[in-house]
Amino acid sequence: MIINVAIDGPSGAGKSTVARAAAQKLGYIYVDTGALYRTVGLNAIRKGFATDNADEVMKSLEGITVELKFSDGAQRVVLNGEDVSDYIRTPEVSMAASNVSAVPGVRAFLFDLQRDIAKNNSCIMDGRDIGTVVLPDAEVKIFLTASAEIRAKRRYDELIAKGSDVEYKDVYEDLIKRDYNDSHRETAPLKPAEDSVFIDSSDFDFEQTVEKVISVIEEKTK
């Protein structure tokens, strides 16, 4: 039996790391849809297109291929044959991802890829419109969030650990801006699915959040 789990939530909520850990423990495939939008954003940046201009974003899609590859449950994202998994986590690419995700043509471009993976695999898929648009019939839907301050601090620590030269204030301001963009865009805005389970991880550590997500999944699928 194939089980699909949709985890939605705002930027910096820890969706990717939590979903990846939960999927590994449950033996599911983990699908980070945000990585797909980041890859489209990275492609536009590399080609010199403005990511806040829908026409230019659509031009940037001409001739590109985006693939997800899985190795031992770990996801790698491939752009035009190049593994770009390590190039898509900068603040610049984060904002580009937020911009391109507001373009309906980009969402359509990536839609079938996401659906096909879910149709053929038990998976945990995270993003901003998984439970509402991509997998509306998912067996489990979770909306994972935390306070803006906590989310910004987590993202800041992550970037510092990777050697990025960033200021907390800038990370926080980028996060607030992305929250607004994601929740106010016309196409598939960020919002909880009506039948989703709400999890606020502000007071949880990583392991507690993973265990909470797993408990919800097990309760919903038993």
Side-chain angles (χ1 to χ4, degrees):
M1 179 180 177
I2 291 177
I3 301 293
N4 290 162
V5 179
I7 299 183
D8 292 306
S11 178
K15 300 184 302 294
S16 298
T17 51
V18 168
R20 184 184 299 111
Q24 189 171 28
K25 290 189 176 185
L26 292 169
Y28 294 1
I29 280 179
Y30 161 63
V31 184
D32 172 10
T33 62
L36 298 174
Y37 291 98
R38 287 171 177 272
T39 301
V40 171
L42 175 66
N43 177 71
I45 290 171
R46 285 181 169 183
K47 289 183 174 179
F49 288 106
T51 62
D52 58 356
N53 181 302
D55 290 337
E56 291 201 25
V57 170
M58 290 307 296
K59 288 179 184 176
S60 76
L61 291 178
E62 293 176 5
I64 83 164
T65 60
V66 179
E67 302 170 273
L68 291 181
K69 296 188 176 181
F70 299 91
S71 177
D72 297 326
Q75 173 187 291
R76 307 295 291 179
V77 62
V78 179
L79 170 64
N80 298 331
E82 176 194 358
D83 186 335
V84 294
S85 306
D86 296 330
Y87 300 105
I88 59 174
R89 299 297 171 185
T90 66
E92 180 187 19
V93 175
S94 292
M95 192 53 64
S98 183
N99 289 338
V100 302
S101 68
V103 179
V106 173
R107 307 197 77 83
F109 173 73
L110 297 173
F111 187 77
D112 288 342
L113 173 60
Q114 297 169 69
R115 276 278 182 91
D116 287 345
I117 293 171
K119 184 171 68 175
N120 296 305
N121 302 276
S122 285
C123 68
I124 299 180
M125 186 177 294
D126 80 274
R128 284 166 177 73
D129 64 345
I130 308 305
T132 53
V133 177
V134 180
L135 300 178
D137 297 322
E139 287 75 10
V140 185
K141 299 176 187 177
I142 294 171
F143 193 84
L144 180 64
T145 189
S147 71
E149 292 79 11
I150 293 289
R151 290 186 286 121
K153 181 63 165 59
R154 290 172 180 170
R155 179 57 55 82
Y156 170 77
D157 290 343
E158 177 186 352
L159 291 168
I160 290 296
K162 291 181 177 179
S164 298
D165 182 17
V166 294
E167 297 290 338
Y168 170 80
K169 177 176 70 71
D170 295 332
V171 175
Y172 178 81
E173 290 175 353
D174 281 348
L175 182 140
I176 294 298
K177 183 177 180 181
R178 185 164 189 191
D179 281 355
Y180 182 87
N181 289 348
D182 290 343
S183 59
H184 286 79
R185 66 188 179 215
E186 289 187 16
T187 303
L190 169 67
K191 62 180 180 179
E194 290 185 2
D195 53 346
S196 64
V197 177
F198 191 87
I199 299 176
D200 187 328
S201 69
S202 297
D203 296 325
F204 295 166
D205 64 21
F206 175 72
E207 286 300 332
Q208 289 172 324
T209 306
V210 173
E211 290 306 318
K212 178 64 176 176
V213 166
I214 289 175
S215 71
V216 169
I217 295 169
E218 291 177 337
E219 176 65 26
K220 291 283 187 179
T221 58
K222 69 180 181 182

PDB file of all heavy atoms in Angstrom, residues 61-81:
ATOM      1  N   LEU A  61      13.048  28.907 -18.387  1.00  0.00           N
ATOM      2  CA  LEU A  61      12.709  27.476 -18.386  1.00  0.00           C
ATOM      3  C   LEU A  61      12.991  26.801 -19.724  1.00  0.00           C
ATOM      4  O   LEU A  61      12.994  25.565 -19.798  1.00  0.00           O
ATOM      5  CB  LEU A  61      11.232  27.288 -18.041  1.00  0.00           C
ATOM      6  CG  LEU A  61      10.786  27.620 -16.618  1.00  0.00           C
ATOM      7  CD1 LEU A  61       9.285  27.416 -16.486  1.00  0.00           C
ATOM      8  CD2 LEU A  61      11.534  26.779 -15.598  1.00  0.00           C
ATOM      9  N   GLU A  62      13.217  27.589 -20.745  1.00  0.00           N
ATOM     10  CA  GLU A  62      13.400  27.020 -22.088  1.00  0.00           C
ATOM     11  C   GLU A  62      14.622  26.101 -22.123  1.00  0.00           C
ATOM     12  O   GLU A  62      15.735  26.511 -21.823  1.00  0.00           O
ATOM     13  CB  GLU A  62      13.545  28.140 -23.122  1.00  0.00           C
ATOM     14  CG  GLU A  62      12.280  28.964 -23.306  1.00  0.00           C
ATOM     15  CD  GLU A  62      12.468  30.125 -24.269  1.00  0.00           C
ATOM     16  OE1 GLU A  62      13.565  30.225 -24.875  1.00  0.00           O
ATOM     17  OE2 GLU A  62      11.535  30.932 -24.414  1.00  0.00           O
ATOM     18  N   GLY A  63      14.364  24.850 -22.463  1.00  0.00           N
ATOM     19  CA  GLY A  63      15.456  23.897 -22.643  1.00  0.00           C
ATOM     20  C   GLY A  63      16.045  23.313 -21.379  1.00  0.00           C
ATOM     21  O   GLY A  63      17.035  22.578 -21.450  1.00  0.00           O
ATOM     22  N   ILE A  64      15.471  23.603 -20.185  1.00  0.00           N
ATOM     23  CA  ILE A  64      16.081  23.075 -18.968  1.00  0.00           C
ATOM     24  C   ILE A  64      15.443  21.743 -18.574  1.00  0.00           C
ATOM     25  O   ILE A  64      14.293  21.453 -18.908  1.00  0.00           O
ATOM     26  CB  ILE A  64      16.023  24.054 -17.775  1.00  0.00           C
ATOM     27  CG1 ILE A  64      14.666  23.987 -17.049  1.00  0.00           C
ATOM     28  CG2 ILE A  64      16.308  25.464 -18.195  1.00  0.00           C
ATOM     29  CD1 ILE A  64      14.691  24.624 -15.675  1.00  0.00           C
ATOM     30  N   THR A  65      16.211  20.933 -17.880  1.00  0.00           N
ATOM     31  CA  THR A  65      15.693  19.696 -17.295  1.00  0.00           C
ATOM     32  C   THR A  65      15.992  19.717 -15.800  1.00  0.00           C
ATOM     33  O   THR A  65      17.079  20.105 -15.382  1.00  0.00           O
ATOM     34  CB  THR A  65      16.346  18.446 -17.909  1.00  0.00           C
ATOM     35  OG1 THR A  65      17.761  18.479 -17.684  1.00  0.00           O
ATOM     36  CG2 THR A  65      16.079  18.366 -19.400  1.00  0.00           C
ATOM     37  N   VAL A  66      14.987  19.356 -15.017  1.00  0.00           N
ATOM     38  CA  VAL A  66      15.138  19.247 -13.565  1.00  0.00           C
ATOM     39  C   VAL A  66      14.730  17.836 -13.165  1.00  0.00           C
ATOM     40  O   VAL A  66      13.646  17.375 -13.516  1.00  0.00           O
ATOM     41  CB  VAL A  66      14.261  20.280 -12.825  1.00  0.00           C
ATOM     42  CG1 VAL A  66      14.420  20.123 -11.319  1.00  0.00           C
ATOM     43  CG2 VAL A  66      14.618  21.698 -13.249  1.00  0.00           C
ATOM     44  N   GLU A  67      15.609  17.141 -12.445  1.00  0.00           N
ATOM     45  CA  GLU A  67      15.333  15.770 -12.034  1.00  0.00           C
ATOM     46  C   GLU A  67      15.608  15.600 -10.542  1.00  0.00           C
ATOM     47  O   GLU A  67      16.454  16.296  -9.974  1.00  0.00           O
ATOM     48  CB  GLU A  67      16.236  14.787 -12.787  1.00  0.00           C
ATOM     49  CG  GLU A  67      16.136  14.823 -14.297  1.00  0.00           C
ATOM     50  CD  GLU A  67      17.243  13.984 -14.924  1.00  0.00           C
ATOM     51  OE1 GLU A  67      18.351  14.519 -15.139  1.00  0.00           O
ATOM     52  OE2 GLU A  67      16.996  12.790 -15.161  1.00  0.00           O
ATOM     53  N   LEU A  68      14.884  14.685  -9.936  1.00  0.00           N
ATOM     54  CA  LEU A  68      15.187  14.254  -8.582  1.00  0.00           C
ATOM     55  C   LEU A  68      15.759  12.851  -8.653  1.00  0.00           C
ATOM     56  O   LEU A  68      15.200  11.985  -9.328  1.00  0.00           O
ATOM     57  CB  LEU A  68      13.919  14.250  -7.713  1.00  0.00           C
ATOM     58  CG  LEU A  68      13.313  15.606  -7.360  1.00  0.00           C
ATOM     59  CD1 LEU A  68      12.083  15.407  -6.488  1.00  0.00           C
ATOM     60  CD2 LEU A  68      14.321  16.480  -6.645  1.00  0.00           C
ATOM     61  N   LYS A  69      16.862  12.639  -7.968  1.00  0.00           N
ATOM     62  CA  LYS A  69      17.458  11.307  -7.893  1.00  0.00           C
ATOM     63  C   LYS A  69      17.563  10.907  -6.429  1.00  0.00           C
ATOM     64  O   LYS A  69      17.786  11.743  -5.553  1.00  0.00           O
ATOM     65  CB  LYS A  69      18.830  11.289  -8.568  1.00  0.00           C
ATOM     66  CG  LYS A  69      18.751  11.571 -10.069  1.00  0.00           C
ATOM     67  CD  LYS A  69      20.058  11.361 -10.780  1.00  0.00           C
ATOM     68  CE  LYS A  69      19.908  11.547 -12.290  1.00  0.00           C
ATOM     69  NZ  LYS A  69      21.182  11.324 -13.016  1.00  0.00           N
ATOM     70  N   PHE A  70      17.384   9.626  -6.169  1.00  0.00           N
ATOM     71  CA  PHE A  70      17.377   9.141  -4.800  1.00  0.00           C
ATOM     72  C   PHE A  70      18.442   8.069  -4.609  1.00  0.00           C
ATOM     73  O   PHE A  70      18.590   7.164  -5.423  1.00  0.00           O
ATOM     74  CB  PHE A  70      15.999   8.564  -4.448  1.00  0.00           C
ATOM     75  CG  PHE A  70      14.902   9.578  -4.537  1.00  0.00           C
ATOM     76  CD1 PHE A  70      14.195   9.751  -5.719  1.00  0.00           C
ATOM     77  CD2 PHE A  70      14.584  10.377  -3.460  1.00  0.00           C
ATOM     78  CE1 PHE A  70      13.180  10.693  -5.817  1.00  0.00           C
ATOM     79  CE2 PHE A  70      13.573  11.328  -3.548  1.00  0.00           C
ATOM     80  CZ  PHE A  70      12.879  11.482  -4.724  1.00  0.00           C
ATOM     81  N   SER A  71      19.189   8.201  -3.505  1.00  0.00           N
ATOM     82  CA  SER A  71      20.217   7.228  -3.153  1.00  0.00           C
ATOM     83  C   SER A  71      20.109   6.944  -1.663  1.00  0.00           C
ATOM     84  O   SER A  71      20.319   7.844  -0.844  1.00  0.00           O
ATOM     85  CB  SER A  71      21.611   7.770  -3.487  1.00  0.00           C
ATOM     86  OG  SER A  71      22.608   6.859  -3.083  1.00  0.00           O
ATOM     87  N   ASP A  72      19.733   5.715  -1.325  1.00  0.00           N
ATOM     88  CA  ASP A  72      19.524   5.341   0.079  1.00  0.00           C
ATOM     89  C   ASP A  72      18.527   6.282   0.761  1.00  0.00           C
ATOM     90  O   ASP A  72      18.690   6.645   1.925  1.00  0.00           O
ATOM     91  CB  ASP A  72      20.857   5.345   0.846  1.00  0.00           C
ATOM     92  CG  ASP A  72      21.839   4.324   0.303  1.00  0.00           C
ATOM     93  OD1 ASP A  72      21.380   3.257  -0.136  1.00  0.00           O
ATOM     94  OD2 ASP A  72      23.051   4.594   0.306  1.00  0.00           O
ATOM     95  N   GLY A  73      17.493   6.665   0.018  1.00  0.00           N
ATOM     96  CA  GLY A  73      16.456   7.530   0.573  1.00  0.00           C
ATOM     97  C   GLY A  73      16.800   9.011   0.561  1.00  0.00           C
ATOM     98  O   GLY A  73      15.958   9.838   0.868  1.00  0.00           O
ATOM     99  N   ALA A  74      18.046   9.340   0.218  1.00  0.00           N
ATOM    100  CA  ALA A  74      18.462  10.746   0.190  1.00  0.00           C
ATOM    101  C   ALA A  74      18.187  11.335  -1.191  1.00  0.00           C
ATOM    102  O   ALA A  74      18.418  10.688  -2.214  1.00  0.00           O
ATOM    103  CB  ALA A  74      19.945  10.870   0.526  1.00  0.00           C
ATOM    104  N   GLN A  75      17.695  12.560  -1.205  1.00  0.00           N
ATOM    105  CA  GLN A  75      17.350  13.220  -2.455  1.00  0.00           C
ATOM    106  C   GLN A  75      18.479  14.117  -2.945  1.00  0.00           C
ATOM    107  O   GLN A  75      19.083  14.843  -2.168  1.00  0.00           O
ATOM    108  CB  GLN A  75      16.096  14.064  -2.263  1.00  0.00           C
ATOM    109  CG  GLN A  75      15.743  14.933  -3.464  1.00  0.00           C
ATOM    110  CD  GLN A  75      14.593  15.867  -3.176  1.00  0.00           C
ATOM    111  OE1 GLN A  75      13.459  15.437  -3.025  1.00  0.00           O
ATOM    112  NE2 GLN A  75      14.873  17.160  -3.092  1.00  0.00           N
ATOM    113  N   ARG A  76      18.739  14.047  -4.237  1.00  0.00           N
ATOM    114  CA  ARG A  76      19.645  14.979  -4.902  1.00  0.00           C
ATOM    115  C   ARG A  76      18.878  15.593  -6.059  1.00  0.00           C
ATOM    116  O   ARG A  76      18.075  14.927  -6.714  1.00  0.00           O
ATOM    117  CB  ARG A  76      20.901  14.269  -5.438  1.00  0.00           C
ATOM    118  CG  ARG A  76      21.654  13.442  -4.431  1.00  0.00           C
ATOM    119  CD  ARG A  76      22.247  14.269  -3.312  1.00  0.00           C
ATOM    120  NE  ARG A  76      23.343  15.131  -3.776  1.00  0.00           N
ATOM    121  CZ  ARG A  76      24.008  15.954  -2.973  1.00  0.00           C
ATOM    122  NH1 ARG A  76      23.680  16.051  -1.689  1.00  0.00           N
ATOM    123  NH2 ARG A  76      24.990  16.696  -3.440  1.00  0.00           N
ATOM    124  N   VAL A  77      19.109  16.870  -6.296  1.00  0.00           N
ATOM    125  CA  VAL A  77      18.405  17.550  -7.385  1.00  0.00           C
ATOM    126  C   VAL A  77      19.403  17.874  -8.487  1.00  0.00           C
ATOM    127  O   VAL A  77      20.518  18.337  -8.238  1.00  0.00           O
ATOM    128  CB  VAL A  77      17.669  18.809  -6.880  1.00  0.00           C
ATOM    129  CG1 VAL A  77      18.638  19.823  -6.303  1.00  0.00           C
ATOM    130  CG2 VAL A  77      16.846  19.440  -7.987  1.00  0.00           C
ATOM    131  N   VAL A  78      18.990  17.572  -9.722  1.00  0.00           N
ATOM    132  CA  VAL A  78      19.891  17.654 -10.872  1.00  0.00           C
ATOM    133  C   VAL A  78      19.336  18.649 -11.883  1.00  0.00           C
ATOM    134  O   VAL A  78      18.197  18.523 -12.343  1.00  0.00           O
ATOM    135  CB  VAL A  78      20.065  16.264 -11.524  1.00  0.00           C
ATOM    136  CG1 VAL A  78      20.985  16.360 -12.735  1.00  0.00           C
ATOM    137  CG2 VAL A  78      20.621  15.267 -10.504  1.00  0.00           C
ATOM    138  N   LEU A  79      20.138  19.651 -12.226  1.00  0.00           N
ATOM    139  CA  LEU A  79      19.773  20.679 -13.200  1.00  0.00           C
ATOM    140  C   LEU A  79      20.618  20.504 -14.447  1.00  0.00           C
ATOM    141  O   LEU A  79      21.849  20.611 -14.388  1.00  0.00           O
ATOM    142  CB  LEU A  79      19.995  22.073 -12.601  1.00  0.00           C
ATOM    143  CG  LEU A  79      19.886  23.269 -13.553  1.00  0.00           C
ATOM    144  CD1 LEU A  79      18.468  23.398 -14.106  1.00  0.00           C
ATOM    145  CD2 LEU A  79      20.322  24.553 -12.848  1.00  0.00           C
ATOM    146  N   ASN A  80      19.967  20.197 -15.552  1.00  0.00           N
ATOM    147  CA  ASN A  80      20.673  20.023 -16.834  1.00  0.00           C
ATOM    148  C   ASN A  80      21.863  19.075 -16.690  1.00  0.00           C
ATOM    149  O   ASN A  80      22.950  19.319 -17.227  1.00  0.00           O
ATOM    150  CB  ASN A  80      21.150  21.381 -17.364  1.00  0.00           C
ATOM    151  CG  ASN A  80      19.998  22.326 -17.638  1.00  0.00           C
ATOM    152  OD1 ASN A  80      18.897  21.908 -17.957  1.00  0.00           O
ATOM    153  ND2 ASN A  80      20.251  23.620 -17.496  1.00  0.00           N
ATOM    154  N   GLY A  81      21.649  17.993 -15.939  1.00  0.00           N
ATOM    155  CA  GLY A  81      22.681  16.978 -15.770  1.00  0.00           C
ATOM    156  C   GLY A  81      23.676  17.258 -14.668  1.00  0.00           C
ATOM    157  O   GLY A  81      24.529  16.426 -14.373  1.00  0.00           O
TER     158      GLY A  81
END
